[in-house]
Amino acid sequence: IQVKGKCYIRAPFHEAQPGFLYDVIIEPKMSFGTGHHSTTQLMIEKLLTLDIHQKSLLDMGCGTGVLAIVASMLGANPITAIDIDEWSYENTIENCSRNNINNVLIQKGNAQILAGRVFHSILANINKNVLLADMNTYSAALENSGNLILSGFFETDIDELIAKSKEFGFALKDTLIQEKWAMLHFIK
């Protein structure tokens, strides 16, 4: 899978392709995030436009760890990747190692473990209901002027997520849509 001609995501048994700035090797096993799904592509497309160099980042619901890996390649530091699923936790560890990424703290858990922690950018490619339920936690864990980037929902869910975000002081900066899936970029 290629994203915007800059990022190439491949399985370990596929050859690298010339001309890409970022070559990401992902073996998904039982986890989400191979790059094939529109939401992952939308998140990476947005990541490629952000200034995250030497800034803290959270990949909430990390799946394979693909977003944390791309963020690390873009210079984000430090990075935290969290998922509730044991498969995803283990898979993120393996994929970070496979890509020689060593600045990602990988944890198993949910948004409750974010208490007292603050990030410059939060990525959450999860389903709409989890995003709505955890919006207050994301607000508390995001520094002022920080990026909240959400996906994992349909374009028909956009209005509901924007309305909820306003309750917590988020301002919509950008919207991307691909094959009826959506990504929202908010600034706190």
Side-chain angles (χ1 to χ4, degrees):
I1 300 298
Q2 63 162 312
V3 181
K4 292 295 181 191
K6 294 181 180 179
C7 183
Y8 187 66
I9 305 167
R10 63 186 173 94
F13 49 83
H14 288 127
E15 293 294 320
Q17 297 293 315
F20 291 92
L21 294 173
Y22 310 103
D23 180 44
V24 182
I25 304 167
I26 298 293
E27 187 168 340
K29 296 192 176 175
M30 300 292 288
S31 305
F32 180 84
T34 61
H36 284 87
H37 199 274
S38 293
T39 59
T40 307
Q41 292 177 33
L42 290 169
M43 296 290 278
I44 293 171
E45 181 178 339
K46 176 46 67 176
L47 261 178
L48 291 170
T49 69
L50 297 178
D51 176 14
I52 56 173
H53 186 75
Q54 292 301 309
K55 295 178 181 167
S56 60
L57 182 135
L58 168 66
D59 180 0
M60 191 70 209
C62 60
T64 62
V66 65
L67 298 178
I69 291 165
V70 171
S72 180
M73 290 177 174
L74 291 168
N77 191 42
I79 300 169
T80 300
I82 299 173
D83 205 294
I84 61 170
D85 180 68
E86 181 69 29
W87 281 104
S88 295
Y89 168 78
E90 295 291 337
N91 198 210
T92 298
I93 292 170
E94 293 167 1
N95 285 322
C96 282
S97 176
R98 185 173 281 112
N99 287 276
N100 298 312
I101 302 296
N102 56 19
N103 66 327
V104 179
L105 171 64
I106 305 160
Q107 296 182 292
K108 185 177 174 229
N110 60 25
Q112 292 176 349
I113 67 174
L114 297 177
R117 298 161 79 180
V118 179
F119 303 90
H120 175 267
S121 295
I122 297 176
L123 314 175
N125 186 8
I126 313 176
N127 71 61
K128 176 189 79 166
N129 294 330
V130 172
L131 296 173
L132 289 170
D134 290 344
M135 192 76 70
N136 62 334
T137 305
Y138 301 150
S139 178
L142 189 65
E143 66 185 40
N144 288 333
S145 301
N147 301 295
L148 175 64
I149 303 166
L150 306 178
S151 197
F153 52 89
F154 293 106
E155 65 181 308
T156 54
D157 300 321
I158 288 174
D159 291 342
E160 187 177 2
L161 283 156
I162 290 173
K164 186 70 168 182
S165 73
K166 288 180 180 177
E167 294 176 26
F168 297 98
F170 290 109
L172 181 64
K173 180 165 178 156
D174 193 17
T175 303
L176 296 175
I177 296 170
Q178 181 178 310
E179 297 176 3
K180 298 186 181 181
W181 293 94
M183 182 281 324
L184 296 172
H185 176 194
F186 296 99
I187 301 291
K188 180 176 173 188

